């Protein structure tokens, strides 16, 4: 209790209970099953939050791969949509959605910020943990029920997984980077 009061700003609301008012929450692994559901829950049931930062896995290029589940869970596709016919040109085949206040008013999507991050890169993790009040770690190396090294049949990942099972694992190194980022952030707040 004493350590919490030294490290964190007052978390108590007007009624003396813990509060998320004006807090920034970082969800690591927000494009996964659990992370996307937690992101939706935070946005819809805690409008007092100042921001929910949804950290998704960086895949190398500007891409939406893996964002489908997050987009679906938070309701970004519940707006007014248009879908081009499959037989039309590539430009006309796209789907798009606009914000519809009648449907999406309580979704609080204005408080959602999506960032791409490689959790094995301590510099990136330190950057995204700056200024957050809480971190929810949902990231994993698994794709479905298989570890990434096996799922992608990537020889480098597979060799690393056999040679050093803890090296390059999001569950270990990613968590370590996240904790180091938070410890550094808390130390700087003092």
């Amino acid at each position: 209790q004493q350590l919490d009061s030294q490290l964190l700003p007052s978390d108590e609301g007007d009624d003396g209970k813990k509060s998320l008012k004006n807090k920034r929450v970082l969800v690591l692994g927000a494009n996964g099953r659990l992370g996307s559901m937690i992101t939706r829950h935070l946005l819809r049931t805690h409008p007092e939050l100042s921001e929910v930062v949804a950290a998704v896995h960086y895949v190398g290029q500007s891409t939406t791969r893996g964002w489908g589940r997050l987009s679906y869970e938070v309701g970004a596709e519940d707006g007014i949509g248009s879908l081009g016919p499959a037989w039309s040109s590539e430009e006309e085949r796209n789907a798009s959605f606009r914000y519809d206040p009648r449907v999406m008013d309580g979704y609080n999507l204005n408080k959602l910020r999506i960032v791409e991050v490689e959790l094995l890169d301590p510099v990136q993790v330190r950057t995204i943990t700056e200024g957050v009040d809480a971190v929810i770690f949902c990231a994993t190396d698994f794709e479905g029920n298989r570890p990434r090294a096996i799922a992608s049949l990537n020889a480098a990942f597979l060799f690393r997984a056999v040679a050093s099972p803890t090296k390059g694992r999001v569950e270990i190194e990613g968590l370590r980077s996240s904790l180091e980022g938070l410890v550094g952030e808390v130390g700087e707040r003092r």
Side-chain angles (χ1 to χ4, degrees):
Q1 179 74 20
Q2 182 182 10
L3 182 61
D4 286 347
S5 64
Q6 290 175 351
L7 296 178
L8 298 173
S10 177
D11 291 320
E12 292 188 9
D14 298 334
D15 58 0
K17 293 182 179 179
K18 294 284 183 181
S19 170
L20 292 174
K21 186 173 185 173
N22 298 322
K23 302 290 184 198
R24 291 182 70 229
V25 176
L26 170 64
V27 181
L28 297 170
N31 54 329
R33 183 180 309 273
L34 179 61
S36 62
M37 290 177 170
I38 288 173
T39 301
R40 178 194 64 211
H41 177 77
L42 288 170
L43 288 169
R44 295 204 185 160
T45 62
H46 294 285
E48 71 274 17
L49 282 166
S50 66
E51 185 175 50
V52 175
V53 181
V56 300
H57 183 248
Y58 176 73
V59 292
Q61 298 176 3
S62 180
T63 179
T64 57
R65 190 182 94 200
W67 293 23
R69 181 177 284 133
L70 176 63
S71 176
Y72 170 78
E73 286 294 341
V74 299
E77 300 165 6
D78 291 353
I80 300 169
S82 66
L83 182 63
W87 56 85
S88 60
S89 68
E90 190 170 333
E91 297 85 39
E92 296 172 347
R93 245 184 279 160
N94 293 330
S96 64
F97 298 90
R98 290 190 333 260
Y99 179 78
D100 181 1
R102 293 173 298 153
V103 176
M104 304 166 75
D105 192 38
Y107 290 9
N108 298 314
L109 295 176
N110 58 324
K111 296 184 178 196
L112 175 65
R113 182 165 66 105
I114 300 173
V115 295
E116 284 188 338
V117 65
E118 174 53 69
L119 293 177
L120 300 178
D121 182 344
V123 175
Q124 287 186 33
V125 174
R126 173 110 186 186
T127 301
I128 66 166
T129 55
E130 288 177 6
V132 299
D133 297 295
V135 174
I136 300 173
F137 193 92
C138 303
T140 180
D141 260 339
F142 283 78
E143 290 181 12
N145 293 326
R146 300 174 299 174
R148 183 171 36 164
I150 295 169
S152 63
L153 294 177
N154 182 319
F157 278 140
L158 193 55
F159 177 77
R160 185 174 63 196
V162 171
S164 182
T166 61
K167 181 96 175 116
R169 293 292 306 269
V170 167
E171 299 91 342
I172 298 167
E173 288 187 50
L175 181 59
R176 182 181 300 128
S177 296
S178 303
L179 292 173
E180 288 170 357
L182 286 173
V183 168
E185 177 69 17
V186 168
E188 291 170 8
R189 286 186 189 181
R190 285 186 171 178

